[in-house]
Amino acid sequence: MPEIFPSSLEEVREAVRTHPRLRPKGGGSKPALSSPQEGETLLNLSGLRGILEYAPEEFVFTAYAGTPLKELEETLRAHGQYLPFHPPLVEQGATLGGTVAAGLSGPMRERFGGLRDFILGVRFVDGEGRVVRGGGKVVKNAAGFPFHRLMVGSLGAFGVMVELSFKVFPYPRATRTLRVGLAHTAEALAVLQDLRTLPLDLLALDLVPPATLEIRLGGFPESLEKRVQRLQSLLQREGEVLREDEAHWEGVRNLAFLEGSPIWVKVPSRLDLIPHLESLPLGPRRYLAGGDLLYAGLEPHGLKALRDGGIPHLVLRGAQEVLFPSPPEAFFAPIKRALDPKGRFPLG
Amino acid sequence: MGFLEELRALFPPGRLLTKEAELAPYESDALTAYRKRPLAVVLPERKEEVVEAVRLCYRHGVPFVARGSGTSLSGGSLPVEGGLVLALNRMNRILRLDPKARIAVVEPGVVNLEVSRRAAPFGLYYAPDPSSQPISTLGGNVAFNSGGAHCLKYGMTANHVLALEVVTPKGEVVHLGGPSLEGVGPDLHGFFVGTEGLLGVALEITLRLLPKPEAYHTLLAAYGSLEAAGNAVSQVIQSGLLPGAMEIMDRLSIEAAEAAVKAGYPQVEALLIVELEGPKEEVEEEAKLLAQVIGESGATEVRIAQSEAERQAIWKGRKAAFSAVGRLSPDYLVQDGVVPRSRLGEALREIGRLSQAYGLRVANVFHAGDGNLHPLVLYDGKKLGELERAEELAGEILKLCVRLGGSLTGEHGIGVEKKGYMPEMFAPEDLLAMERVKEALDPKGLANRGKVLPGYGQSPHQGGLKTDLGELYA
Ligand SMILES: Cc1cc2nc3c(=O)[nH]c(=O)nc-3n(C[C@H](O)[C@H](O)[C@H](O)COP(=O)(O)OP(=O)(O)OC[C@H]3O[C@@H](n4cnc5c(N)ncnc54)[C@H](O)[C@@H]3O)c2cc1C
C-alpha cells in the first residue's frame, strides 16, 4: 500500500497535487478513520510535528497538525496550562490534527467546553493543493469565514490540516473526585439531571452505567474540601472520595474502558436519549459531560442496532463505514465542491 | 408575474413595505454613514414565509439581506440597492425552553436578553452578552458570532449554538448540528456562525444554556495610566486566575459614562473592572489572590461590590459607555480590532499617537481579557472631510491590530465597513477560498451581496475604503 511522509508544507502540497485520492493519518489511534481504502494513498503526517508558537501569557499556541498530543500537553503542563477539552487517546499516540478531524473531546469538556470551543485557527492544503488559512492566533476573532470550525469532525474532507492554533487555560491547582453509586439507572439519571442545572463548575460529570456517577472538581485546595462536602450533602451520600484522581481520569480519557471491544464508537447523546441507548446491546461504555457524550465498545450487532435505530455515531475503530448519518447534502456538498472539487479527500 | 407581484401574493399589505417613507428606517444599520435604498422590505412571521421569499429571490435573481434589529456596527444589515430586506423582528418566539436539557430553541428575531430572562427562573442563562443585548437579535448574533464581556472564559456565540435550521441562498432548507453538546461529522453549524448572512438565513437556532454562577466578586480598580491598567490585566492572567470578565475604560469614556448614567466612577486615567464568578467557596479563594495581585499592581483606588446593586452600578457605566460617548460627539465610528493581550499597552500608545496626528478624539473602552479593543473615533459628519479622516484613522487602527498579530474584528464583523481591509489579514488564497465557498452555496451571489468579501460588489461608500486585490478579482 503506497504511503508518503511529507515533512513540510510544500511536500504536503506536492502530495496533494500528485495523488488522486489521499487518506491523511496522524498517530493512527483511530484506525477506522486513518486506514486507507481501495485506491487511496496514505498521507502520513507524523513528520509534521512540533510547536510553532506558544505564548503562555496569551493562552494561545500554534503547532503542526502531526504533533502528538502527549508532547504538546507536556509542554503546556510545564507552564501550568492544559487543553480544556481533554482530548482522548493521548497515550495511544493521538495527534492534534487527528483529534480535530475526528472531533473528539474527553471528560473534562464538562467544565469549559469541547474541542470546537477551543480551536482558533487553521492552515490547510485544499484539494487543489492551495494553502488556505482560516481564523487567527488570538483568543477572540470574528473575521472571515471560520474554516477552522469547519475542520472539526470533518474527517479530513476539506483539506489536509498543516497548522492549528488553540486556546488553552490554566490547569486547576488541585482536583478531587467523588464517586457515588445509585440504586438504578433511573435514579442516577435523576441525580445527573439535577447536577447539570446547578452552578457547581464541575470539571467532569460522568455516568458509568448502570448507576454510578463520577464527579470531578477542580480549584484551590482550600476550597475543594468544602465543595466536596457540599456535593455530598446535596446528594445525601458519602460516596467515595479520590484524592489522587489523576491516574483514574487519564485512564478514562484514553478510553481504557473500551480495551477488548472490537468496535469503538462516539455517540452524541442526551439525557432523554440515555434510557433508549441503555436498552440497546452496547458493550462497555461511559457517558461523559453530564450525559451528552457517549463512548461505547460494541460487537457488530451493537453497531447494527445504532444504525437501525437511526442514532448518529462515529466509528473510531473496527468498522469501515464510519459516519452516520452523512452530512446534510445541500449544505455540505457545495462546500466540499469548493474546497475539494476532485474528491481527493475522505467523505463525499 | 414580476417579483413584486409575487411578493404581494406572499405577504399582506402591512407586511410588505415599498413606499419611500416606510423604507427609510431600513436604509442603514448602526453604522449610519452608509445608506442604501432597498426595493422592498418584508416582515415575515413564520419561517415558511422566509423560505418562500428566499426562493422567490433566487428565481428572480434579486439580492436579499436578512435583518434583525439593525444594530450592526459594520454595515452588515445595510440593504442592497434594489434588493429585498427580510426584517425578522416579528419572528420573536422562544419555541422551546428545556431546562433539563439546558437548551432553548428560538426564532431568529428573538432578542438576546430575552433568552436569559426566560431561563432565569430555572437558574440558567444564555452566556454571550453583547452590550447590545437588550435589542440585538439572535439571528444577528449568529451571523456575526457576537461576543461580549465574558468571551475569554465562555467563548462567543459560535460556542453556544448547538444547531441551526437554515435556508440556503438557493432556497433549500437544511438542519445543521443537533441538540447534544457533541456532534459527529463536520461542524457545519459552527461554520455558519460568523459568516455574516452570506451563506443563508438562520430560521431556527438551538442555544445552549448555562447554570447562572452562584457567586460574583466584582472589583473596580483605578489607575494613573492606561498602560498601568493593561499591565494589571497581564498580572491577573499570570497569577493563574481566569476571571469571567476584565474590562478597561479610559478617561474619555469614564467621563462620558459618568455624565450619562452617574455610575459614580472615580475620574481617573483608566479604570479596570475584574469579575470573578463561580461557586462561593471558589470565588472566595480567588478573591484573596486577586486582592493580592491588584494590591501590587499600582492601583490608586480599589472598590469591591458588596451587593448585587453595587455590582450592577459598576457594570452600568461600562455597558452604557458606547451610547454615552455618542453624546460627546455628533458621530462616531467604533472599531473592534484584537491584539495579543501582551501588546495592549503598545496598541493603546499607538492609538493615542494616531488620534493626535489625525486631530480626532478616540475613546477607549475594551474587553481587556481577550485583547479586544473598542476604540471609538469621534467625528462630526457635517464637517467637510471629517468622516473620511475618521475612516482613515479607523483603518490605521485596524492595520495596527493585524500588524501586532491580532485580528480586524473580535465581534462586530467585517460587513461593508472593513471588507477593504480583509487583504491586510488574509492572503489572496484565503479570500479566494471564501469566495469559492460563497459561490458554490450562492451561485447568483444574492445573500448579503457586497459584504465581507472584497471581491463581491462595489464599496457602497466613496470614502477611504480600498481594495488591494483589484487585479485578483478583475
Ligand atoms: C450600542 C451597541 C453596542 C454593541 N455591543 C456589542 C458587543 O458588545 N458585542 C458584539 O459582538 N456586538 C455588539 N454590537 C454590534 C451588534 O449589536 C451585533 O453585531 C448584533 O449581533 C447585531 O444584531 P442585530 O439583531 O441588530 O442584527 P442586524 O444588525 O440586523 O444584522 C447583523 C447581520 O446579521 C445578518 N442577519 C440577521 N439576521 C439573520 C439571520 N436570521 N440569518 C442570517 N443572517 C442574519 C444581517 O444580514 C447582518 O449581516 C453593538 C452594537 C451597538 C449599536
Side-chain angles (χ1 to χ4, degrees):
Chain A
M1 182 183 311
E3 179 166 1
I4 26 181
F5 291 85
S7 58
S8 69
L9 174 69
E10 224 16 79
E11 287 175 26
V12 173
R13 300 184 65 187
E14 184 59 29
V16 169
R17 288 201 216 95
T18 46
H19 295 86
R21 293 188 59 212
L22 287 161
R23 169 73 49 172
K25 174 179 168 178
S29 63
K30 297 162 281 282
L33 309 181
S34 58
S35 306
Q37 299 184 1
E38 190 65 35
E40 291 179 341
T41 302
L42 190 64
L43 184 65
N44 190 320
L45 294 165
S46 58
L48 271 174
R49 65 202 283 168
I51 297 175
L52 294 157
E53 286 173 46
Y54 173 35
E57 68 280 11
E58 299 290 348
F59 287 177
V60 174
F61 74 83
T62 301
Y64 277 122
T67 312
L69 290 172
K70 196 171 160 76
E71 202 175 300
L72 199 57
E73 287 193 333
E74 272 161 19
T75 305
L76 295 177
R77 203 58 187 261
H79 291 88
Q81 298 183 341
Y82 77 127
L83 294 166
F85 59 94
H86 208 195
L89 303 171
V90 170
E91 225 22 78
Q92 291 89 330
T95 61
L96 194 57
T99 304
V100 173
L104 300 187
S105 302
M108 285 203 280
R109 92 167 309 291
E110 170 65 8
R111 177 66 189 98
F112 292 111
L115 188 148
R116 72 188 298 266
D117 303 310
F118 286 87
I119 189 166
L120 299 176
V122 67
R123 202 162 169 222
F124 67 99
V125 175
D126 78 359
E128 297 285 43
R130 300 171 293 223
V131 181
V132 179
R133 204 166 57 83
K137 295 178 179 176
V138 276
V139 293
K140 194 171 181 186
N141 170 29
F145 289 4
F147 286 125
H148 53 298
R149 286 199 288 274
L150 187 62
M151 298 295 138
V152 178
S154 67
L155 309 181
F158 308 108
V160 182
M161 289 173 257
V162 175
E163 289 174 19
L164 290 157
S165 300
F166 272 87
K167 175 165 92 170
V168 296
F169 278 163
Y171 197 79
R173 282 157 212 263
T175 58
R176 290 275 190 289
T177 296
L178 179 66
R179 182 184 288 141
V180 192
L182 285 307
H184 44 73
T185 305
E187 189 186 12
L189 287 176
V191 173
L192 194 58
Q193 183 179 309
D194 287 345
L195 290 176
R196 279 165 54 101
T197 47
L198 293 173
L200 299 167
D201 284 7
L202 305 176
L203 271 186
L205 175 58
D206 285 13
L207 165 66
V208 188
T212 302
L213 295 180
E214 288 187 358
I215 309 166
R216 193 178 198 195
L217 289 166
F220 280 82
E222 296 82 356
S223 70
L224 275 182
E225 231 38 75
K226 291 180 225 159
R227 289 173 64 197
V228 170
Q229 281 164 18
R230 191 138 70 100
L231 256 180
Q232 287 168 319
S233 61
L234 192 79
L235 300 171
Q236 298 176 324
R237 277 176 181 80
E238 283 294 302
E240 177 194 353
V241 178
L242 309 183
R243 273 157 213 287
E244 298 295 329
D245 60 357
E246 194 65 31
H248 171 69
W249 288 102
E250 275 305 293
V252 174
R253 70 104 160 230
N254 288 318
L255 310 183
F257 55 98
L258 299 184
E259 284 307 336
S261 288
I263 302 170
W264 295 18
V265 292
K266 166 190 170 175
V267 180
S269 164
R270 294 191 315 265
L271 266 191
D272 61 352
L273 190 64
I274 293 178
H276 176 57
L277 287 166
E278 284 301 294
S279 73
L280 301 177
L282 313 179
R285 64 199 176 278
R286 178 185 273 257
Y287 296 87
L288 282 55
D292 270 39
L293 170 58
L294 165 67
Y295 286 108
L298 309 173
E299 302 287 334
H301 70 284
L303 184 60
K304 186 170 180 306
L306 282 182
R307 194 137 319 184
D308 292 349
I311 294 166
H313 59 269
L314 176 71
V315 177
L316 306 179
R317 71 161 60 195
Q320 281 253 332
E321 274 188 40
V322 292
L323 180 64
F324 178 87
S326 304
E329 192 66 14
F331 200 78
F332 170 77
I335 303 176
K336 173 81 176 171
R337 205 161 58 238
L339 296 173
D340 181 23
K342 300 203 176 73
R344 284 182 208 272
F345 303 130
L347 209 62
Chain B
M1 261 201 295
F3 178 69
L4 272 180
E5 282 151 67
E6 286 200 54
L7 264 188
R8 279 197 192 97
L10 285 177
F11 293 91
R15 297 200 285 118
L16 167 62
L17 316 178
T18 53
K19 298 202 189 73
E20 206 169 311
E22 295 172 329
L23 297 178
Y26 296 92
E27 281 178 6
S28 68
D29 56 24
L31 181 68
T32 50
Y34 295 79
R35 293 194 163 270
K36 287 275 183 183
R37 166 68 50 89
L39 174 71
V41 175
V42 290
L43 309 173
E45 289 177 347
R46 288 173 297 112
K47 64 183 176 191
E48 293 77 13
E49 293 180 339
V50 180
V51 174
E52 285 309 317
V54 167
R55 288 182 180 160
L56 196 61
C57 286
Y58 184 65
R59 253 190 292 125
H60 289 266
V62 175
F64 61 87
V65 176
R67 181 183 174 104
S69 296
T71 64
S72 159
L73 292 163
S74 56
S77 39
L78 181 77
V80 176
E81 194 89 46
L84 183 68
V85 171
L86 300 157
L88 302 173
N89 288 83
R90 293 190 181 194
M91 292 180 55
N92 59 0
R93 288 173 302 172
I94 294 181
L95 301 170
R96 190 155 80 86
L97 196 139
D98 184 344
K100 291 178 190 158
R102 287 193 310 204
I103 59 172
V105 181
V106 305
E107 291 186 327
V110 170
V111 164
N112 174 304
L113 198 56
E114 189 60 17
V115 180
S116 291
R117 209 182 59 76
R118 286 276 297 278
F122 307 103
L124 301 171
Y125 79 119
Y126 175 64
D129 60 341
S131 307
S132 59
Q133 70 180 159
I135 30 173
S136 69
T137 65
L138 285 153
N141 292 178
V142 162
F144 273 174
N145 192 16
S146 298
H150 296 80
C151 293
L152 177 64
K153 196 167 182 178
Y154 292 113
M156 323 207 344
T157 301
N159 308 118
H160 299 269
V161 170
L162 301 182
L164 289 169
E165 184 178 345
V166 167
V167 56
T168 69
K170 292 169 78 174
E172 290 169 290
V173 176
V174 290
H175 292 90
L176 314 176
S180 170
L181 288 176
E182 285 281 328
V184 289
D187 190 349
L188 299 174
H189 58 294
F191 181 62
F192 185 89
V193 178
T195 48
E196 304 196 14
L198 267 69
L199 306 183
V201 182
L203 303 170
E204 257 180 49
I205 306 165
T206 303
L207 301 169
R208 138 194 192 212
L209 303 174
L210 297 182
K212 211 166 151 7
E214 179 183 39
Y216 292 99
H217 176 84
T218 311
L219 171 150
L220 181 77
Y223 292 90
S225 72
L226 266 181
E227 207 166 342
N231 289 339
V233 169
S234 296
Q235 285 152 16
V236 171
I237 291 292
Q238 271 160 24
S239 76
L241 285 171
L242 184 59
M246 280 191 281
E247 302 283 309
I248 291 181
M249 297 171 72
D250 73 356
R251 177 176 275 283
L252 198 53
S253 21
I254 298 166
E255 284 173 5
E258 205 43 42
V261 297
K262 301 204 176 35
Y265 287 161
Q267 299 296 300
V268 290
E269 286 309 311
L271 280 181
L272 168 66
I273 300 173
V274 183
E275 185 162 273
L276 304 169
E277 51 181 43
K280 58 181 191 299
E281 302 92 341
E282 201 59 38
V283 170
E284 231 165 73
E285 292 303 323
E286 290 182 354
K288 287 184 206 160
L289 179 57
L290 181 65
Q292 190 189 330
V293 175
I294 296 293
E296 291 163 6
S297 71
T300 54
E301 186 183 338
V302 179
R303 294 183 194 167
I304 291 161
Q306 304 295 341
S307 64
E308 181 56 25
E310 287 186 26
R311 170 174 176 253
Q312 291 303 337
I314 289 181
W315 277 111
K316 191 166 149 197
R318 166 61 189 89
K319 294 245 171 188
F322 274 22
S323 47
V325 171
R327 296 182 174 197
L328 296 180
S329 163
D331 303 288
Y332 66 89
L333 292 175
V334 192
Q335 290 302 327
D336 81 316
V338 183
V339 295
R341 200 171 21 237
S342 58
R343 315 290 294 264
L344 272 173
E346 201 178 336
L348 292 165
R349 257 199 317 280
E350 185 60 17
I351 290 172
R353 197 191 62 74
L354 286 166
S355 161
Q356 294 225 317
Y358 279 80
L360 293 171
R361 288 183 297 170
V362 178
N364 285 291
V365 33
F366 55 94
H367 308 309
D370 42 29
N372 190 188
L373 299 169
H374 278 44
L376 291 98
V377 181
L378 310 188
Y379 72 97
D380 183 348
K382 288 193 285 301
K383 291 197 185 139
L384 197 69
E386 216 168 80
L387 165 62
E388 285 71 18
R389 252 195 9 261
E391 285 192 322
E392 208 176 301
L393 166 53
E396 288 301 320
I397 296 175
L398 291 182
K399 288 192 228 166
L400 168 72
C401 291
V402 174
R403 209 162 55 234
L404 293 176
S407 168
L408 293 171
T409 171
E411 49 185 26
H412 297 169
I414 300 295
V416 285
E417 187 214 15
K418 301 184 202 69
K419 70 172 181 169
Y421 295 95
M422 284 290 272
E424 300 283 340
M425 181 165 167
F426 292 102
E429 282 291 12
D430 308 334
L431 294 171
L432 282 167
M434 295 177 205
E435 300 258 358
R436 275 187 212 104
V437 168
K438 165 74 171 163
E439 213 175 296
L441 276 160
D442 184 7
K444 298 188 182 176
L446 303 179
N448 235 345
R449 173 184 289 177
K451 316 286 169 69
V452 184
L453 303 170
Y456 273 90
Q458 295 297 313
S459 164
H461 177 73
Q462 299 311 310
L465 293 189
K466 63 171 190 69
T467 307
D468 286 345
L469 281 182
E471 77 276 19
L472 205 84
Y473 297 103

